[in-house]
């Protein structure tokens, strides 16, 4: 009998807040078995069996988190958001220049390197579990089936995290790597990207066969059948995208035998497979009724400044007269969007989130917060702490780029154009005041000096952007002096530019997404609301589905995921609207015009824009730009923001866009994929480096 030396993540006691924290109990690592035990001993014991799988769950944190601290998740910061850490953004700048994780002694070698080894540890644990959990006599057969389904999902999900970041990777033996084997036998070459996708999709199908439709509150961060089907659709959409489908510019991405790892011939059928997989999920969900776009009803009177009256979007028929999802007559677009992310809802209440890690708050040492040696939280709550102004006890170092700020449309759905809108407001109306309220009926801007470039924007703008002059409620503290603070980012203000430290927003435009009206980090009884990461949500899948349908030029026959039927898929405007319209209606902006749907290129550009706005700060744009092969166009642009050198006496000049000082950026081909570290290359003699990165040979 082989002996396995292993560490098993213990299952922590029930956490205090069941809705958000108990769902991630099994992510805690607060005890370890360090002795060697046989697989028979492990899988004959219920506790040991569950703890074996819990180690896989634990590796979803640290450098594998989706949304959180830039230490672990730099890819959440693209051309849309910056972090001013280090010497005036030095770490962000090095990240943008591709100076990370490849062994160069640039001061950041310790960052971003755990995703590869952690994922393979989790993959091995899941593989061993799949092949041995059936022997456990302390669990019912139904319980074992569900747990094996979780293991299939986890194994596929970790491969997904790897291929999204590193491209084609080695696929390990199905039963799990034998660590007692020789060094040569443990050296696995990269598989092709298509082979990786095929393996992931098969695992997701196996997961979907076993997983339940829903989870209870205590297990709401565990995967479901819908999560497996949705992830399969997302993976196949990536596989059909230009970076992986007929990309001759990656002809030199090979293994050591010269085998090309990225397909060199374009295959439209990959888009057909993505469409069918999207249809699998959407049709299943239409019947099961598990997931939907979250909406909140019209608020006719304000509870307080934290929960204002509903702003009715400009009249645009038929949408103004129809209820959601055909229109917005019965919803509050701002609150509907904001509450998906800010902790207003527990996971169990949030019907838009398909898969989440829960609080997602462990760093790379996985030590629970109440244990000695614990890192500070690294998840979404920590993200918010970095967004909060100094005046609210925050770090005040995350900023939105001018490019992202300008991407949000006007309230009527027309593109934002600063020259046009300021000309419409007229001279003397550059800032809000008590006399010009009639000029901006589609917002709740304070009437005391907010730049009118921020007026009359679509609801997602106000849920995502902390413009200079935003009022931050800070409602949880009992100290009135901290309530409803209006924060300006002018030089000389409490939260404006300073030269002595990094705690100022280097673009002059802050981040509001994920911030709850209660969130504040100073004052008596202050709290930051718990909030789950939206690792996979319904709106993302809808937009991916519409994108995939748009790429079909002919009809294709594809079997459903369970083989029970055959789809005939083709470019169908009604199916494209199925993906786009609910997202646009919830946002309170009109659906695309018929001519946009009719033109493949126009629709693609619309999807690029929609995903930039809808999925802002959700760790999507970095990978979208790469899979579309338009990263060079967007990521090589210089970062612009407000002129943070200007004080309040020169307020108008503050809003003239300037290149952010000391924040140069560029893009080279090597940045399409992350490098494998020197340590991993040294361990595996058959592993090749991604193109453009140093291979140390």
């Amino acid at each position: 009998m082989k002996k396995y030396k292993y560490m098993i993540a213990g299952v922590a006691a029930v956490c205090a807040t069941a809705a958000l924290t108990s769902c991630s109990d099994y992510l805690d690592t607060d005890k370890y078995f360090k002795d060697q035990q046989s697989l028979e001993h492990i899988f004959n014991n219920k506790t040991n069996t569950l703890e074996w799988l819990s180690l896989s769950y634990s590796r979803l944190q640290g450098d594998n988190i989706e949304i959180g601290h830039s230490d672990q998740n730099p890819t959440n910061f693209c051309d849309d958001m910056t972090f001013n850490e280090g010497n005036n953004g030095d770490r962000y700048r090095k990240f943008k220049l591709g100076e990370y994780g490849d062994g160069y002694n640039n001061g950041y070698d310790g960052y971003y390197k755990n995703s590869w080894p952690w994922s393979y540890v989790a993959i091995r644990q899941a593989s061993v579990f799949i092949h041995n959990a059936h022997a456990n006599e302390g669990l019912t057969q139904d319980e074992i089936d569900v747990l094996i389904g979780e293991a299939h999902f986890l194994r596929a999900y970790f491969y997904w995290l790897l291929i999204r970041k590193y491209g084609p990777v080695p696929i390990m033996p199905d039963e799990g790597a034998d660590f007692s084997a020789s060094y040569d036998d443990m050296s696995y070459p990269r598989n092709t990207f298509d082979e990786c996708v095929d393996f992931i999709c098969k695992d997701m199908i196996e997961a979907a066969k076993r997983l339940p439709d829903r989870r209870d509150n205590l297990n709401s961060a565990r995967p479901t059948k819908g999560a497996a089907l949705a992830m399969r659709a997302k993976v196949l959409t990536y596989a059909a995208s230009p970076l992986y489908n007929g990309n001759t510019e990656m002809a030199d991405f090979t293994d050591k035998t010269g085998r090309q790892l990225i397909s060199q011939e374009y295959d439209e059928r990959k888009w057909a497979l993505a469409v069918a997989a999207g249809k699998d999920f959407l049709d299943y969900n239409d019947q099961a009724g598990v997931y939907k776009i979250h909406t909140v009803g019209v608020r006719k009177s304000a509870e307080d400044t934290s929960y204002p009256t509903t702003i009715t979007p400009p009249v645009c028929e038929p949408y103004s007269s129809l209820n959601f999802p055909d229109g917005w007559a019965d919803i509050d677009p701002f609150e509907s969007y904001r509450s998906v992310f800010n902790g207003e809802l527990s996971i169990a209440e949030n019907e838009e989130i398909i898969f989440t890690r829960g609080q997602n708050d462990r760093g790379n040492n996985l030590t629970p917060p109440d244990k000695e040696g614990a890192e500070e939280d690294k998840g979404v709550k920590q993200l918010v702490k970095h967004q909060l102004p100094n005046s609210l006890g925050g770090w005040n170092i995350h900023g939105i780029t001018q490019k992202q700020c300008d991407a949000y449309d006007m309230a009527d759905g027309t593109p934002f154009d600063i020259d046009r809108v300021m000309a419409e407001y007229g001279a003397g109306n550059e800032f809000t005041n008590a006399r010009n309220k009639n000029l901006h009926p589609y917002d709740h801007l304070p009437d005391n000096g907010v730049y009118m470039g921020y007026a009359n924007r679509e609801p997602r703008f106000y849920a995502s952007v902390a413009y200079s002059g935003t009022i931050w409620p800070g409602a949880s503290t009992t100290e009135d002096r901290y309530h409803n603070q209006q924060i300006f980012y002018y030089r000389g203000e409490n939260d404006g530019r300073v030269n002595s430290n990094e705690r100022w927003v280097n673009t002059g435009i802050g981040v509001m997404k994920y911030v709850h009206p209660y969130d504040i980090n100073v004052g008596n009884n202050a709290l930051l609301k718990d909030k789950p990461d939206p690792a996979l949500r319904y709106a993302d899948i809808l937009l991916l589905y519409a994108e995939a349908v748009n790429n079909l030029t002919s009809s294709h026959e594809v079997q459903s995921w369970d083989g029970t039927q055959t789809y005939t898929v083709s470019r169908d405007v009604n199916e494209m609207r199925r993906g786009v319209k609910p997202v646009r209606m919830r946002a309170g902006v009109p659906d695309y015009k018929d001519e946009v749907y009719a033109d493949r290129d126009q629709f693609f550009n619309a999807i690029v824009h929609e995903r930039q706005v809808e999925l802002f700060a959700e760790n999507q744009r970095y990978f979208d730009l790469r899979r579309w092969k338009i990263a060079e166009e967007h990521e090589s642009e210089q970062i612009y923001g407000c002129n943070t050198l200007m004080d309040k006496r020169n307020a108008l000049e503050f809003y003239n866009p300037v290149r952010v000082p000391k924040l140069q950026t560029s893009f080279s081909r090597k940045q399409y994929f992350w490098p494998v570290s020197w340590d991993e290359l040294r361990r595996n003699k058959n592993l090749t480096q991604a193109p453009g990165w140093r291979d140390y040979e």
Side-chain angles (χ1 to χ4, degrees), residues 22 51 85 99 107 132 212 274 288 301 331 378 383 425 445 452 470 554 557 578 586 623 665:
S22 62
E51 287 176 334
E85 275 184 271
E99 298 177 9
N132 292 277
S301 59
I331 66 170
K378 297 294 184 179
L383 196 71
Y425 298 143
L445 295 187
M452 285 285 282
T470 293
S554 60
E557 291 190 349
R578 182 185 185 185
R586 192 261 299 278
F623 298 105
T665 185

mmCIF file of all heavy atoms in Angstrom, residues 22 51 85 99 107 132 212 274 288 301 331 378 383 425 445 452 470 554 557 578 586 623 665:
data_model
loop_
_atom_site.group_PDB
_atom_site.id
_atom_site.type_symbol
_atom_site.label_atom_id
_atom_site.label_comp_id
_atom_site.label_asym_id
_atom_site.label_seq_id
_atom_site.Cartn_x
_atom_site.Cartn_y
_atom_site.Cartn_z
ATOM 1 N N SER A 22 -20.144 30.947 7.001
ATOM 2 C CA SER A 22 -20.161 29.503 7.200
ATOM 3 C C SER A 22 -19.965 28.765 5.894
ATOM 4 O O SER A 22 -19.494 27.637 5.873
ATOM 5 C CB SER A 22 -21.480 29.080 7.840
ATOM 6 O OG SER A 22 -22.569 29.384 7.007
ATOM 7 N N GLU A 51 -11.805 16.222 5.098
ATOM 8 C CA GLU A 51 -10.650 17.104 5.221
ATOM 9 C C GLU A 51 -9.723 16.988 4.009
ATOM 10 O O GLU A 51 -9.068 17.954 3.626
ATOM 11 C CB GLU A 51 -9.910 16.805 6.520
ATOM 12 C CG GLU A 51 -10.674 17.302 7.744
ATOM 13 C CD GLU A 51 -10.003 16.934 9.047
ATOM 14 O OE1 GLU A 51 -9.261 15.932 9.075
ATOM 15 O OE2 GLU A 51 -10.222 17.635 10.040
ATOM 16 N N GLU A 85 0.339 51.676 -4.772
ATOM 17 C CA GLU A 85 1.169 51.065 -3.738
ATOM 18 C C GLU A 85 2.623 51.063 -4.178
ATOM 19 O O GLU A 85 2.929 51.009 -5.368
ATOM 20 C CB GLU A 85 0.711 49.633 -3.454
ATOM 21 C CG GLU A 85 -0.424 49.548 -2.467
ATOM 22 C CD GLU A 85 -0.768 48.104 -2.146
ATOM 23 O OE1 GLU A 85 -1.599 47.527 -2.857
ATOM 24 O OE2 GLU A 85 -0.201 47.578 -1.174
ATOM 25 N N GLU A 99 6.919 43.083 -15.516
ATOM 26 C CA GLU A 99 8.100 42.749 -14.713
ATOM 27 C C GLU A 99 7.645 42.009 -13.457
ATOM 28 O O GLU A 99 7.615 42.551 -12.363
ATOM 29 C CB GLU A 99 8.860 44.018 -14.352
ATOM 30 C CG GLU A 99 9.382 44.769 -15.575
ATOM 31 C CD GLU A 99 10.069 46.078 -15.199
ATOM 32 O OE1 GLU A 99 10.281 46.323 -13.993
ATOM 33 O OE2 GLU A 99 10.369 46.857 -16.122
ATOM 34 N N GLY A 107 12.501 43.094 -7.211
ATOM 35 C CA GLY A 107 11.832 43.448 -5.974
ATOM 36 C C GLY A 107 10.442 42.884 -5.829
ATOM 37 O O GLY A 107 9.803 43.048 -4.808
ATOM 38 N N ASN A 132 -11.098 7.460 -4.753
ATOM 39 C CA ASN A 132 -11.097 6.726 -3.485
ATOM 40 C C ASN A 132 -12.275 7.006 -2.563
ATOM 41 O O ASN A 132 -12.516 6.233 -1.632
ATOM 42 C CB ASN A 132 -9.800 7.032 -2.723
ATOM 43 C CG ASN A 132 -8.577 6.460 -3.414
ATOM 44 O OD1 ASN A 132 -8.246 5.281 -3.253
ATOM 45 N ND2 ASN A 132 -7.904 7.294 -4.198
ATOM 46 N N PRO A 212 -26.124 19.151 -6.928
ATOM 47 C CA PRO A 212 -27.527 19.567 -6.777
ATOM 48 C C PRO A 212 -27.810 20.885 -7.489
ATOM 49 O O PRO A 212 -26.887 21.640 -7.821
ATOM 50 C CB PRO A 212 -27.667 19.730 -5.257
ATOM 51 C CG PRO A 212 -26.294 20.120 -4.803
ATOM 52 C CD PRO A 212 -25.341 19.360 -5.685
ATOM 53 N N ALA A 274 -19.368 26.564 -28.052
ATOM 54 C CA ALA A 274 -19.595 27.545 -26.990
ATOM 55 C C ALA A 274 -21.062 27.962 -26.940
ATOM 56 O O ALA A 274 -21.643 28.108 -25.851
ATOM 57 C CB ALA A 274 -18.700 28.764 -27.207
ATOM 58 N N ALA A 288 -35.009 25.262 -14.154
ATOM 59 C CA ALA A 288 -34.719 25.145 -12.716
ATOM 60 C C ALA A 288 -35.018 26.434 -11.963
ATOM 61 O O ALA A 288 -35.338 26.409 -10.768
ATOM 62 C CB ALA A 288 -33.260 24.734 -12.517
ATOM 63 N N SER A 301 -39.645 56.858 -1.994
ATOM 64 C CA SER A 301 -39.191 57.884 -1.052
ATOM 65 C C SER A 301 -37.887 57.431 -0.425
ATOM 66 O O SER A 301 -37.684 56.238 -0.180
ATOM 67 C CB SER A 301 -40.244 58.138 0.030
ATOM 68 O OG SER A 301 -40.521 56.955 0.752
ATOM 69 N N ILE A 331 -38.286 48.818 -11.720
ATOM 70 C CA ILE A 331 -37.051 48.562 -10.973
ATOM 71 C C ILE A 331 -36.279 49.855 -10.711
ATOM 72 O O ILE A 331 -36.513 50.884 -11.355
ATOM 73 C CB ILE A 331 -36.124 47.568 -11.716
ATOM 74 C CG1 ILE A 331 -35.594 48.170 -13.017
ATOM 75 C CG2 ILE A 331 -36.840 46.254 -11.963
ATOM 76 C CD1 ILE A 331 -34.489 47.345 -13.666
ATOM 77 N N LYS A 378 -7.459 39.393 2.584
ATOM 78 C CA LYS A 378 -7.036 39.693 1.220
ATOM 79 C C LYS A 378 -8.204 39.754 0.246
ATOM 80 O O LYS A 378 -7.990 39.924 -0.945
ATOM 81 C CB LYS A 378 -6.041 38.618 0.746
ATOM 82 C CG LYS A 378 -4.750 38.554 1.552
ATOM 83 C CD LYS A 378 -3.914 39.794 1.387
ATOM 84 C CE LYS A 378 -2.579 39.668 2.119
ATOM 85 N NZ LYS A 378 -1.727 40.856 1.947
ATOM 86 N N LEU A 383 -10.333 44.886 -0.388
ATOM 87 C CA LEU A 383 -10.396 45.752 -1.558
ATOM 88 C C LEU A 383 -11.101 47.055 -1.197
ATOM 89 O O LEU A 383 -10.632 48.153 -1.540
ATOM 90 C CB LEU A 383 -11.148 45.033 -2.680
ATOM 91 C CG LEU A 383 -11.031 45.574 -4.103
ATOM 92 C CD1 LEU A 383 -9.647 45.326 -4.667
ATOM 93 C CD2 LEU A 383 -12.078 44.904 -4.994
ATOM 94 N N TYR A 425 -24.555 72.093 -21.306
ATOM 95 C CA TYR A 425 -24.826 72.724 -20.018
ATOM 96 C C TYR A 425 -24.623 74.236 -20.085
ATOM 97 O O TYR A 425 -25.303 74.988 -19.391
ATOM 98 C CB TYR A 425 -23.941 72.129 -18.926
ATOM 99 C CG TYR A 425 -24.173 70.653 -18.686
ATOM 100 C CD1 TYR A 425 -23.114 69.804 -18.378
ATOM 101 C CD2 TYR A 425 -25.441 70.103 -18.757
ATOM 102 C CE1 TYR A 425 -23.323 68.443 -18.155
ATOM 103 C CE2 TYR A 425 -25.659 68.747 -18.538
ATOM 104 C CZ TYR A 425 -24.594 67.930 -18.249
ATOM 105 O OH TYR A 425 -24.800 66.599 -18.035
ATOM 106 N N LEU A 445 -26.398 64.086 -7.628
ATOM 107 C CA LEU A 445 -25.189 64.845 -7.320
ATOM 108 C C LEU A 445 -25.492 65.936 -6.299
ATOM 109 O O LEU A 445 -26.515 66.626 -6.401
ATOM 110 C CB LEU A 445 -24.622 65.492 -8.583
ATOM 111 C CG LEU A 445 -24.087 64.585 -9.695
ATOM 112 C CD1 LEU A 445 -23.428 65.425 -10.779
ATOM 113 C CD2 LEU A 445 -23.107 63.568 -9.160
ATOM 114 N N MET A 452 -19.660 68.902 -13.489
ATOM 115 C CA MET A 452 -20.829 68.484 -14.267
ATOM 116 C C MET A 452 -20.494 67.414 -15.304
ATOM 117 O O MET A 452 -21.405 66.843 -15.918
ATOM 118 C CB MET A 452 -21.466 69.694 -14.938
ATOM 119 C CG MET A 452 -22.246 70.575 -13.973
ATOM 120 S SD MET A 452 -23.845 69.866 -13.493
ATOM 121 C CE MET A 452 -24.820 70.247 -14.948
ATOM 122 N N THR A 470 -18.005 63.036 -4.202
ATOM 123 C CA THR A 470 -18.945 61.993 -3.771
ATOM 124 C C THR A 470 -19.201 62.098 -2.273
ATOM 125 O O THR A 470 -18.299 62.379 -1.483
ATOM 126 C CB THR A 470 -18.379 60.601 -4.090
ATOM 127 O OG1 THR A 470 -18.317 60.432 -5.503
ATOM 128 C CG2 THR A 470 -19.253 59.498 -3.504
ATOM 129 N N SER A 554 -22.426 30.236 -40.150
ATOM 130 C CA SER A 554 -23.239 29.173 -40.747
ATOM 131 C C SER A 554 -23.869 28.377 -39.618
ATOM 132 O O SER A 554 -23.571 28.597 -38.439
ATOM 133 C CB SER A 554 -22.395 28.265 -41.643
ATOM 134 O OG SER A 554 -21.349 27.651 -40.895
ATOM 135 N N GLU A 557 -24.648 21.620 -36.083
ATOM 136 C CA GLU A 557 -25.373 20.717 -35.200
ATOM 137 C C GLU A 557 -24.444 20.271 -34.068
ATOM 138 O O GLU A 557 -23.326 19.804 -34.327
ATOM 139 C CB GLU A 557 -25.895 19.498 -35.966
ATOM 140 C CG GLU A 557 -27.004 19.837 -36.949
ATOM 141 C CD GLU A 557 -27.675 18.599 -37.510
ATOM 142 O OE1 GLU A 557 -27.152 17.483 -37.299
ATOM 143 O OE2 GLU A 557 -28.727 18.744 -38.157
ATOM 144 N N ARG A 578 -31.284 37.700 -26.195
ATOM 145 C CA ARG A 578 -31.478 36.919 -24.972
ATOM 146 C C ARG A 578 -30.320 37.138 -24.000
ATOM 147 O O ARG A 578 -30.518 37.163 -22.779
ATOM 148 C CB ARG A 578 -31.592 35.438 -25.332
ATOM 149 C CG ARG A 578 -31.844 34.496 -24.173
ATOM 150 C CD ARG A 578 -31.821 33.042 -24.647
ATOM 151 N NE ARG A 578 -32.175 32.104 -23.598
ATOM 152 C CZ ARG A 578 -32.129 30.784 -23.730
ATOM 153 N NH1 ARG A 578 -31.757 30.241 -24.896
ATOM 154 N NH2 ARG A 578 -32.451 30.002 -22.726
ATOM 155 N N ARG A 586 -31.616 46.003 -16.820
ATOM 156 C CA ARG A 586 -31.305 46.193 -15.396
ATOM 157 C C ARG A 586 -30.496 47.476 -15.193
ATOM 158 O O ARG A 586 -30.638 48.172 -14.191
ATOM 159 C CB ARG A 586 -30.554 44.979 -14.854
ATOM 160 C CG ARG A 586 -30.450 44.948 -13.319
ATOM 161 C CD ARG A 586 -29.123 45.451 -12.800
ATOM 162 N NE ARG A 586 -28.014 44.668 -13.253
ATOM 163 C CZ ARG A 586 -27.610 43.520 -12.705
ATOM 164 N NH1 ARG A 586 -28.265 43.009 -11.692
ATOM 165 N NH2 ARG A 586 -26.551 42.904 -13.191
ATOM 166 N N PHE A 623 -8.389 39.519 -18.853
ATOM 167 C CA PHE A 623 -8.408 38.293 -19.649
ATOM 168 C C PHE A 623 -9.219 38.468 -20.933
ATOM 169 O O PHE A 623 -8.902 37.856 -21.954
ATOM 170 C CB PHE A 623 -8.944 37.138 -18.810
ATOM 171 C CG PHE A 623 -8.093 36.832 -17.617
ATOM 172 C CD1 PHE A 623 -8.496 37.196 -16.339
ATOM 173 C CD2 PHE A 623 -6.859 36.201 -17.768
ATOM 174 C CE1 PHE A 623 -7.693 36.925 -15.237
ATOM 175 C CE2 PHE A 623 -6.052 35.924 -16.671
ATOM 176 C CZ PHE A 623 -6.471 36.288 -15.412
ATOM 177 N N THR A 665 3.228 52.741 -19.137
ATOM 178 C CA THR A 665 2.730 51.399 -19.372
ATOM 179 C C THR A 665 3.054 50.984 -20.795
ATOM 180 O O THR A 665 3.314 51.824 -21.656
ATOM 181 C CB THR A 665 1.204 51.320 -19.124
ATOM 182 O OG1 THR A 665 0.776 49.976 -19.245
ATOM 183 C CG2 THR A 665 0.444 52.184 -20.103
#
